[in-house]
Amino acid sequence: MGSPQWPQGSRLRSAQQLWPWFVLLLVLGLVRLSKGAGFADGFALLSRPFWPGTAQREWVEAAQQQEQISRLELLERDNARLRELLALDQQSSGDWIQAAVISRTASGWWQQLILGKGSVEGVAKDDAVIGPGGLIGRVQSVTPTTSRVRLLTAPGSRIGVWLPRTQQHGLLAGLGTARPQLQFLDKDIQVRPGDLVSTSPASTLLPPNLPVAVVQSLNARAVPAPTALVQLIAPPDAIDWVQVKVR
């Protein structure tokens, strides 16, 4: 008995059902060989009418101009800061020493900083350290070429201060944060936010009448006396040059 013969129509239908798979395999093979370049070219050709045209170039040029403006502003600010430092240096008497901040640690950011001048230049323990705007701390220790400054924001730091408007004394205590606490000696205070805090006019340990801080907020219910949080006028986190008052 002979083998069965498939009708011509059945073979045609089978071929019609299989050819899409052959085409798909061929396309996949071409994509693999070309790494998708053909699809990318086709997509670019189809999407070209929707491209922004000259707008894209204008965006790039605007971004470049903004970058140049930003760089110019930063240079101008840096030049202004350097001019202020130069003027400050020219106005300083022999009792003041200019010193650069050469080191500080992230863990002690609000506690201390290291200056690039020490006992060779005349810096001594307990000397007052002033930043642009006001007092920031006192020298804690010195080496021949460096000095360690304890900031007013450091925990345990305490100095006597004066409020010129209300003619009251207080104690400025560091909390280890950006804002020290002002502890009043009297329960009856007339202090309000915005009041200036300075060193005492009669101070002997620190230069008198130095600006220190501005009152930010009050806690009238604190015991045994009201307290306030203050903002130092000279921000210790952004200072890279200081003056040391040599005694």
Side-chain angles (χ1 to χ4, degrees):
M1 179 180 290
S3 60
Q5 299 292 327
W6 292 93
Q8 187 69 21
S10 297
R11 288 199 297 271
L12 265 172
R13 283 193 300 272
S14 298
Q16 288 175 352
Q17 290 173 355
L18 292 176
W19 78 265
W21 296 101
F22 287 117
V23 172
L24 179 61
L25 290 174
L26 179 62
V27 170
L28 292 176
L30 292 175
V31 169
R32 181 176 179 82
L33 291 175
S34 64
K35 297 183 179 180
F39 282 98
D41 293 341
F43 178 78
L45 183 63
L46 293 175
S47 62
R48 186 177 295 276
F50 304 100
W51 286 8
T54 57
Q56 188 175 27
R57 184 174 63 255
E58 292 174 357
W59 296 341
V60 173
E61 291 176 353
Q64 292 174 342
Q65 291 176 359
Q66 184 61 44
E67 180 185 8
Q68 293 174 355
I69 291 172
S70 300
R71 288 184 177 181
L72 181 60
E73 289 179 353
L74 291 174
L75 287 174
E76 289 178 347
R77 291 179 184 176
D78 197 41
N79 286 337
R81 181 180 63 83
L82 292 175
R83 286 194 297 270
E84 290 176 358
L85 290 173
L86 180 60
L88 192 62
D89 187 46
Q90 292 173 345
Q91 295 171 4
S92 298
S93 66
D95 294 337
W96 294 90
I97 295 177
Q98 297 284 333
V101 177
I102 62 172
S103 176
R104 62 198 312 164
T105 60
S107 59
W109 196 262
W110 302 107
Q111 300 183 29
Q112 64 183 19
L113 48 83
I114 307 297
L115 305 182
K117 291 189 178 179
S119 59
V120 171
E121 289 82 11
V123 180
K125 187 177 183 297
D126 293 331
D127 283 348
V129 180
I130 294 90
L135 183 71
I136 63 168
R138 300 173 69 183
V139 175
Q140 185 178 22
S141 61
V142 295
T143 70
T145 56
T146 65
S147 51
R148 185 184 305 273
V149 178
R150 189 181 195 183
L151 298 173
L152 299 180
T153 51
S157 171
R158 293 176 181 272
I159 64 166
V161 291
W162 173 254
L163 288 96
R165 189 184 67 82
T166 61
Q167 303 288 296
Q168 289 179 302
H169 287 93
L171 188 66
L172 191 67
L175 302 177
T177 62
R179 296 194 296 174
Q181 184 183 71
L182 177 57
Q183 300 171 355
F184 295 100
L185 305 180
D186 302 322
K187 293 184 178 181
D188 184 18
I189 61 170
Q190 303 298 322
V191 179
R192 58 174 178 253
D195 280 351
L196 175 67
V197 180
S198 69
T199 57
S200 171
S203 175
T204 57
L205 297 177
L206 294 169
N209 298 316
L210 276 180
V212 177
V214 175
V215 175
Q216 294 289 302
S217 61
L218 293 169
N219 181 8
R221 297 182 178 180
V223 177
T227 62
L229 289 178
V230 303
Q231 181 68 53
L232 296 182
I233 297 175
D237 60 323
I239 287 176
D240 52 5
W241 283 86
V242 299
Q243 283 185 302
V244 181
K245 175 64 174 177
V246 180
R247 294 179 295 168

